[in-house]
Amino acid sequence: MRRRAQASMKPKTQSLSFVNGYAIPRDSDGEVDVFDANAFADAPARGEAKAYAPEYVKLHGLVLRFNAYFDETVENSQKESVRCRKCVIYFFLEDGSIKITEPRVENSGMPQGAFLKRHVVRGVTLGDLNVGKAVTIYGFEFKIYRCDGFTRDYLGRVGVDVPNDEREPDGVGPSWEEVRLARRAARSTKKDARGKFLTHDKQVLRFYCVWDDRSKFGDRRRFVLTFFLIDDTVAITEVEENKSGRGSGMSSTLLHRSRLPLRDEDANARGLANDDFDYVTAEDLHVGDTIRVYKRDFFIYDCDEFTKSWYLTKFPGELTEADFEPHDVTEPEDTVPAHRIPEHTGLAIGSEEDSLQNCISLIPKPPRKDVAKDDEIVLQFRAEMVPISDADEVCEFDASRRFVVSFHVGDKTLSIFEQASKDSCSSKFLERARVRKRDETGAFYDL
């Protein structure tokens, strides 16, 4: 049975046929026009196609060459201070990379040859390279002074104007002797200080000034500004009487003897003093003016007699006696607030004399008793509660209470004790203490 079933199964025939890549039914009655597929039917002839080349193929092997030099500082040499080193800069148009070489010089004593290996330098393009330009590469400033013929023709074709070649440097910087002579010539232009030494030796101008430092938790301090005519130096010291309370061992010198810069920006400079800065001179100091000392304002309010006479002699037509009138810089003293003793109320702990000790001293002491007074005499009085004024009323219970008032003659103190009755027991009504009267005087009770 199985063999018969397999024999009766026949595979179906393919009903499609493929012509030039298209499926065509075999049993179709309709007529189908089949053409040969040609993808290059509309393409131009092989000889008419344009030749194409990538950009890197066009620029392959094209290199621009520039001649340049940079100055190198020479240390510890008596023959030269700056050395000029010549180099050749190669710019590869293919990828924009740069290579720098230094021509070898026989017996130069310097490692020459490859100065910079070929690679793309960030920030340096073809537009930065031209005759007469300076390009900085890794901290070295190269000055281009010449290029070859191919480089000049290529830059001209792309629309870049190339200047004429400059003069080639000789490769030798100024010698140490030339530098030394230039420095000597610069020093010779300065004023000779020996004349001031002979004429102004031991002559000192003394000004009295004040510095208001209360803006930064300080106070108003007085100083003496000393100007030395021999070398135009300034020294500032504090007045000794103002040092009280600032601590022992503190120096009174605010500024040691030195030249004082005239501007704040020069005061922030570092290094030795030179003539590039403007410094304070005798013409900048006047009574009534404010002088700037390292961002601190000092008001000059007076000067001594020698300073006054020196200015009048030096500038006879410009200054007069009125220009040296002292200015009053004293301030009214702060009034010390009066020590007010607070009122002793009934809620205060202890007697009035005992509480007063807390207002007198941080560590209160008990008040002393006068032992010479007779403290054994006690005067006793019987009393009852009555209204103080017509507007006051005393209830029936308080009116029935009876008291014993004891007056101690020795210290003039009072104590009140309540007697026992059918409605109340005996108790202490007032502790022994000095009692004030309820009148305008407020004096203590006395005999």
Side-chain angles (χ1 to χ4, degrees):
M1 294 294 294
R2 184 177 299 176
R3 290 181 180 178
R4 291 179 181 178
Q6 292 178 354
S8 61
M9 295 176 61
K10 295 182 179 180
K12 293 182 178 181
T13 59
Q14 179 64 263
S15 61
L16 297 175
S17 62
F18 292 88
V19 179
N20 294 332
Y22 296 94
I24 303 299
R26 292 181 178 180
D27 299 337
S28 177
D29 296 337
E31 297 180 358
V32 178
D33 297 333
V34 180
F35 300 96
D36 295 337
N38 187 6
F40 302 98
D42 299 334
R46 183 178 299 274
E48 300 177 359
K50 296 181 180 180
Y52 170 76
E55 192 69 20
Y56 68 90
V57 175
K58 295 180 182 179
L59 301 178
H60 179 68
L62 300 182
V63 182
L64 306 182
R65 187 173 65 176
F66 302 90
N67 294 87
Y69 69 93
F70 69 93
D71 294 331
E72 180 185 24
T73 304
V74 180
E75 303 290 346
N76 301 326
S77 175
Q78 296 183 355
K79 295 183 178 180
E80 56 182 353
S81 59
V82 179
R83 181 181 299 120
C84 178
R85 300 182 62 175
K86 302 177 184 179
C87 299
V88 180
I89 301 176
Y90 297 91
F91 185 86
F92 295 85
L93 297 173
E94 178 181 358
D95 54 358
S97 58
I98 294 176
K99 182 180 72 172
I100 302 177
T101 60
E102 184 179 6
R104 298 182 182 274
V105 179
E106 187 177 359
N107 296 329
S108 64
M110 295 183 296
Q112 298 173 331
F115 188 85
L116 179 68
K117 292 185 178 180
R118 177 182 175 181
H119 67 281
V120 178
V121 180
R122 183 177 299 179
V124 180
T125 60
L126 181 59
D128 302 325
L129 303 177
N130 203 344
V131 177
K133 286 188 176 182
V135 58
T136 302
I137 300 177
Y138 297 125
F140 293 90
E141 185 178 7
F142 295 88
K143 182 65 179 301
I144 302 175
Y145 64 91
R146 188 175 59 190
C147 65
D148 58 0
F150 172 77
T151 303
R152 185 178 296 274
D153 295 340
Y154 178 83
L155 294 178
R157 288 197 303 269
V158 298
V160 178
D161 186 17
V162 182
N164 296 328
D165 295 343
E166 298 180 356
R167 185 178 63 86
E168 182 179 359
D170 53 5
V172 180
S175 62
W176 183 261
E177 184 66 20
E178 295 176 354
V179 174
R180 187 174 63 84
L181 293 177
R183 292 179 179 177
R184 178 181 296 180
R187 288 196 300 265
S188 62
T189 58
K190 298 181 180 180
K191 296 181 180 179
D192 191 1
R194 289 176 294 181
K196 297 184 65 175
F197 174 77
L198 297 176
T199 56
H200 299 298
D201 185 24
K202 298 182 180 181
Q203 291 185 0
V204 178
L205 304 181
R206 184 173 287 103
F207 298 89
Y208 302 100
C209 51
V210 62
W211 172 36
D212 193 353
D213 190 30
R214 288 176 292 190
S215 61
K216 296 294 184 180
F217 310 103
D219 53 3
R220 205 161 181 258
R221 303 163 61 181
R222 297 191 180 187
F223 293 87
V224 177
L225 188 147
T226 307
F227 185 84
F228 299 87
L229 293 173
I230 188 174
D231 54 359
D232 295 342
T233 54
V234 177
I236 302 177
T237 56
E238 187 175 2
V239 179
E240 294 293 337
E241 62 183 15
N242 292 339
K243 290 180 57 181
S244 58
R246 297 187 180 275
S248 59
M250 294 182 63
S251 175
S252 62
T253 302
L254 179 69
L255 178 65
H256 289 277
R257 180 177 176 179
S258 61
R259 301 188 69 183
L260 178 62
L262 188 61
R263 296 186 298 269
D264 290 341
E265 53 269 21
D266 296 340
N268 295 332
R270 296 294 184 266
L272 298 177
N274 51 51
D275 291 339
D276 296 337
F277 301 152
D278 294 331
Y279 293 93
V280 173
T281 60
E283 290 77 4
D284 300 322
L285 302 175
H286 301 283
V287 176
D289 291 350
T290 301
I291 187 68
R292 191 79 169 168
V293 180
Y294 291 99
K295 298 184 178 182
R296 298 171 178 88
D297 293 328
F298 283 76
F299 176 72
I300 302 175
Y301 64 89
D302 198 2
C303 64
D304 59 358
E305 289 297 330
F306 173 77
T307 304
K308 177 179 177 181
S309 61
W310 187 86
Y311 273 99
L312 293 177
T313 306
K314 183 72 174 178
F315 308 99
E318 301 177 8
L319 300 177
T320 60
E321 293 281 347
D323 296 328
F324 296 92
E325 291 293 333
H327 294 258
D328 187 13
V329 294
T330 58
E331 292 184 342
E333 297 183 359
D334 297 335
T335 58
V336 180
H339 183 61
R340 189 180 64 85
I341 299 176
E343 182 181 359
H344 185 268
T345 61
L347 298 177
I349 301 175
S351 63
E352 186 172 355
E353 293 81 1
D354 188 34
S355 300
L356 183 61
Q357 302 299 320
N358 295 277
C359 303
I360 298 176
S361 175
L362 294 176
I363 303 176
K365 296 181 180 181
R368 294 183 180 182
K369 293 183 179 182
D370 190 359
V371 295
K373 294 182 178 180
D374 192 358
D375 197 17
E376 297 180 358
I377 300 176
V378 180
L379 304 180
Q380 292 185 346
F381 305 88
R382 293 184 182 274
E384 62 180 6
M385 285 189 180
V386 295
I388 298 177
S389 61
D390 298 337
D392 297 335
E393 294 182 0
V394 179
C395 62
E396 183 180 356
F397 174 75
D398 290 338
S400 63
R401 300 169 65 183
R402 298 295 180 265
F403 301 91
V404 177
V405 179
S406 301
F407 183 79
H408 300 267
V409 179
D411 53 359
K412 301 178 181 181
T413 56
L414 285 175
S415 62
I416 302 176
F417 189 81
E418 184 179 2
Q419 293 180 347
S421 63
K422 62 178 181 179
D423 295 329
S424 62
C425 60
S426 61
S427 62
K428 183 187 299 184
F429 185 81
L430 177 64
E431 184 73 25
R432 180 180 176 181
R434 298 188 70 184
V435 181
R436 292 184 179 272
K437 298 178 182 180
R438 296 178 58 88
D439 54 7
E440 297 179 358
T441 59
F444 291 98
Y445 282 101
D446 200 350
L447 290 176

